[in-house]
Amino acid sequence: MTFDVPLEDGARIRVRRHGNPDGVRLFLSHGNGYAINGYLPYWQHFLGRFDLIIFDFRNHGENVPVTPAHHTYAQLSRDLERVYGGVMTKLGARKTAGIFHSMSSRTAMKHALEIGFRWDALVLFDPPNVPPPGHPVHRAMAAFEVRLTEFARNRRTHFANIDELAADFAKSRVGQTWVPGVHELMARSVLRKDPDGDGFVLVCDPANEAAIYAEAMSMNLWPRASDFGGPVKLIGADPDFKGGPPTGRANRALGTENGYDYTFVPGAGHMLQLEKPDECARLTLGFLKECGLG
């Protein structure tokens, strides 16, 4: 099933329903600049037992980019509330878990803390939160967000075909450890035909991607697990992975200092669901079972 959920500013989000319509409902979304279809190696593990709600955030994936973009975490949080309400209105209420990565996990945290905890369980994959100034990991995370902001601002936007972007993903530092097939799958998921000419362009405009990276510095998002009012699982990148991103160390600090049900995936970087999808699915299923949702 596919249907659109209208947002407060006239934008729309395309929702796709997969899996078992009688199962516990899972909402799943993606990281900044990516799209949830590209995470198929991870979420395919849930198709037999769960009612999957798959969606991209505004200006990503299967959604039509909008002007003005309203591309901020505050807006993304309100969009998540709209998507949740739209799905429940159309499909009916039931036991529901949210499963989010990176940008969408940070959005889900902000949504839960400022709007409401809507979930029977919440799974957060490596949210790239910046610790408060003075924290031992603050400088590394701040530098990481600055690098990502500059990368996004200067990234290539036009491709003659999907294979060009797939090749770029395969050569990139972040994409070298993705499981086979994901490079092309993700490329297909984040490109659309150029409306003004030949070839393909990124669905997520680099300016929007950069704005999300830059906003991380001002979010002040470092909550305790008890602030959420419901069960939360924090799954991070390997904090000791040589050459890995500082997100692993940041999430170890967040998890151990602030009382989370925390674990990490050994040998995995920030894109852990694309690098080790089977292990990520195993950890997710274990937590859902602990919450009576498995």
Side-chain angles (χ1 to χ4, degrees), residues 8-269:
E8 63 188 37
D9 61 348
R12 306 181 75 84
I13 285 184
R14 175 65 52 87
V15 173
R16 290 88 74 190
R17 188 188 196 191
H18 297 288
N20 177 7
D22 297 320
V24 169
R25 186 168 293 152
L26 306 181
F27 282 66
L28 298 103
S29 201
H30 56 86
N32 191 20
Y34 293 101
I36 191 59
N37 286 350
Y39 290 67
L40 174 64
Y42 166 74
W43 55 258
Q44 66 181 357
H45 290 275
F46 310 108
L47 289 168
R49 295 166 55 187
F50 296 92
D51 183 23
L52 270 58
I53 301 299
I54 305 295
F55 71 97
D56 305 298
F57 275 89
R58 66 169 53 224
N59 304 312
H60 284 86
E62 292 194 13
N63 301 318
V64 178
V66 293
T67 303
H70 293 158
H71 208 83
T72 67
Y73 271 110
Q75 183 64 64
L76 298 182
S77 299
R78 294 194 297 272
D79 291 351
L80 179 55
E81 178 73 359
R82 285 278 186 139
V83 171
Y84 178 88
V87 169
M88 294 302 171
T89 297
K90 186 171 185 66
L91 303 180
R94 68 172 57 179
K95 292 286 187 179
T96 301
I99 303 174
F100 301 104
H101 171 243
S102 194
M103 177 193 78
S104 66
S105 64
R106 194 151 49 185
T107 300
M109 294 174 80
K110 184 176 178 66
H111 167 266
L113 294 166
E114 298 180 3
I115 297 177
F117 192 86
R118 307 297 185 217
W119 319 103
D120 295 288
L122 180 61
V123 181
L124 305 171
F125 277 97
D126 212 42
N129 295 327
V130 179
H135 189 282
V137 192
H138 173 81
R139 291 182 65 181
M141 277 302 301
F144 179 66
E145 294 291 0
V146 169
R147 289 197 304 271
L148 289 175
T149 302
E150 289 304 307
F151 162 77
R153 285 174 178 161
N154 295 291
R155 75 178 300 169
R156 179 182 177 185
T157 59
H158 188 277
F159 300 85
N161 52 58
I162 290 168
D163 290 341
E164 284 190 350
L165 179 54
D168 283 356
F169 280 145
K171 291 183 294 185
S172 70
R173 183 175 180 180
V174 69
Q176 289 179 3
T177 53
W178 294 1
V179 295
V182 173
H183 305 99
E184 181 182 357
L185 176 61
M186 187 62 77
R188 290 184 180 277
S189 302
V190 302
L191 291 173
R192 63 184 179 120
K193 288 191 174 181
D194 188 345
D196 300 318
D198 297 328
F200 296 82
V201 294
L202 295 169
V203 179
C204 183
D205 187 282
N208 292 333
E209 183 181 0
I212 287 297
Y213 288 133
E215 191 180 348
M217 298 302 300
S218 60
M219 288 187 71
N220 190 30
L221 191 62
W222 198 251
R224 297 192 61 81
S226 57
D227 295 338
F228 288 93
V232 178
K233 180 76 172 183
L234 180 63
I235 304 175
D238 188 339
D240 300 313
F241 186 38
K242 186 176 180 180
T247 55
R249 284 176 283 147
N251 277 297
R252 177 170 60 186
L254 177 66
T256 57
E257 295 168 10
N258 287 7
Y260 286 81
D261 181 349
Y262 161 76
T263 191
F264 65 89
V265 179

